[in-house]
Amino acid sequence: SYELTQPPSVSVSPGQTARITCSGDGLPKQYAYWYQQKSGQAPVVIMYKDSERPSGIPERFSGSSSGTTVTLTISGVQAEDEADYYCQSLDNSGAWVFGGGTKLTVL
Amino acid sequence: QLQLQESGPGLVKPSETLSLTCAVSGVSISGTNYYWGWVRQPPGRGLEWIGSIYNSGNTYYNPSLKSRLTITVDTSKNEFSLKLRSVTAADTALYSCATENHSYGGGDFRGPFDDWGQGTLVTVSS
């Protein structure tokens, strides 16, 4: 079955840049989406179609794609960015797949 | 304003069927080009997509759940439902209904989940 692989955790100090990767064989052909989920809350879409940012999402969030890996970059990390981040993409049968999630810790 | 509200039993016995309904308000299911989906999250763990349905009844299911899963839509009641058969403790999770936002997607009316219900915790235990 199709899998998306994320690092379980990323830690950065405030003001630094955090990069969260998501790897999957289908990513060259299918878009990736990113969610931010804070404790006790529903996930929020923070990136769509690899690198498009919904309105209301701060500019410090950006996305990129290269081959089988997509990357969510958070520049100038703030304490409020501490959360779980999930990538998502479609497999070739139309089924959604989520990555395992990455816990971002702001030191 | 689109709102989603899950309802159903919070406790299900092993081997029985988990049944949940998502009531939609603010929009008409039959009048929208949305896929309506279910996502679950076991306590302390990650997100798992369960399945999605269009107002025509067209469905996509998680392959790992497909043999136990049925998702239906009732446009007259403006709601959609989930039935998961033969449950085990591994099916214990927060179950949420959500809409796919196709304006963010790559086509075929599919897109990431942009509006969510509050979720309902379902525990499988005898």
Side-chain angles (χ1 to χ4, degrees):
Chain A
S1 61
Y2 183 44
E3 291 184 353
L4 296 174
T5 301
Q6 298 181 233
S9 62
V10 168
S11 299
V12 295
S13 298
Q16 290 191 326
T17 296
R19 293 181 179 84
I20 300 172
T21 57
C22 172
S23 298
D25 289 342
L27 291 177
K29 303 189 216 53
Q30 292 286 355
Y31 287 120
Y33 306 87
W34 288 96
Y35 296 84
Q36 177 193 67
Q37 186 181 34
K38 295 184 177 179
S39 181
Q41 297 182 19
V44 174
V45 179
I46 59 172
M47 204 67 56
Y48 63 96
K49 288 200 280 188
D50 295 345
S51 59
E52 301 287 333
R53 194 174 53 248
S55 61
I57 302 302
E59 291 183 8
R60 63 180 182 275
F61 290 90
S62 63
S64 61
S65 175
S66 179
T68 60
T69 299
V70 293
T71 302
L72 175 71
T73 300
I74 312 172
S75 305
V77 167
Q78 300 181 6
E80 68 197 49
D81 299 330
E82 187 161 286
D84 294 324
Y85 292 83
Y86 295 91
C87 61
Q88 178 196 22
S89 189
L90 281 170
D91 74 6
N92 56 16
S93 70
W96 287 113
V97 178
F98 285 102
T102 298
K103 182 177 182 58
L104 175 67
T105 299
V106 182
L107 300 170
Chain B
Q1 171 108 13
L2 173 65
Q3 289 189 314
L4 304 166
Q5 180 65 59
E6 305 88 351
S7 62
L11 181 64
V12 182
K13 290 183 168 53
S15 79
E16 295 191 344
T17 297
L18 182 163
S19 297
L20 296 174
T21 295
C22 182
V24 178
S25 60
V27 297
S28 168
I29 288 179
S30 60
T32 60
N33 291 330
Y34 296 152
Y35 270 87
W36 307 86
W38 291 96
V39 177
R40 69 182 183 180
Q41 187 168 27
R45 298 184 61 186
L47 302 171
E48 180 179 29
W49 173 73
I50 299 171
S52 298
I53 188 165
Y54 195 67
N55 58 21
S56 63
N58 188 50
T59 52
Y60 291 97
Y61 289 160
N62 184 322
S64 69
L65 299 172
K66 188 173 182 177
S67 63
R68 301 191 289 132
L69 180 63
T70 302
I71 296 176
T72 57
V73 63
D74 188 335
T75 55
S76 67
K77 294 183 179 179
N78 217 39
E79 64 187 28
F80 58 106
S81 300
L82 157 73
K83 288 189 188 300
L84 185 64
R85 297 174 290 278
S86 304
V87 297
T88 69
D91 295 308
T92 293
L94 182 73
Y95 284 76
S96 299
C97 56
T99 57
E100 295 191 23
N101 186 338
H102 59 80
S103 66
Y104 288 166
D108 294 332
F109 303 116
R110 307 297 303 280
F113 295 103
D114 200 29
D115 287 294
W116 296 71
Q118 65 184 24
T120 185
L121 179 63
V122 178
T123 301
V124 179
S125 175
S126 55

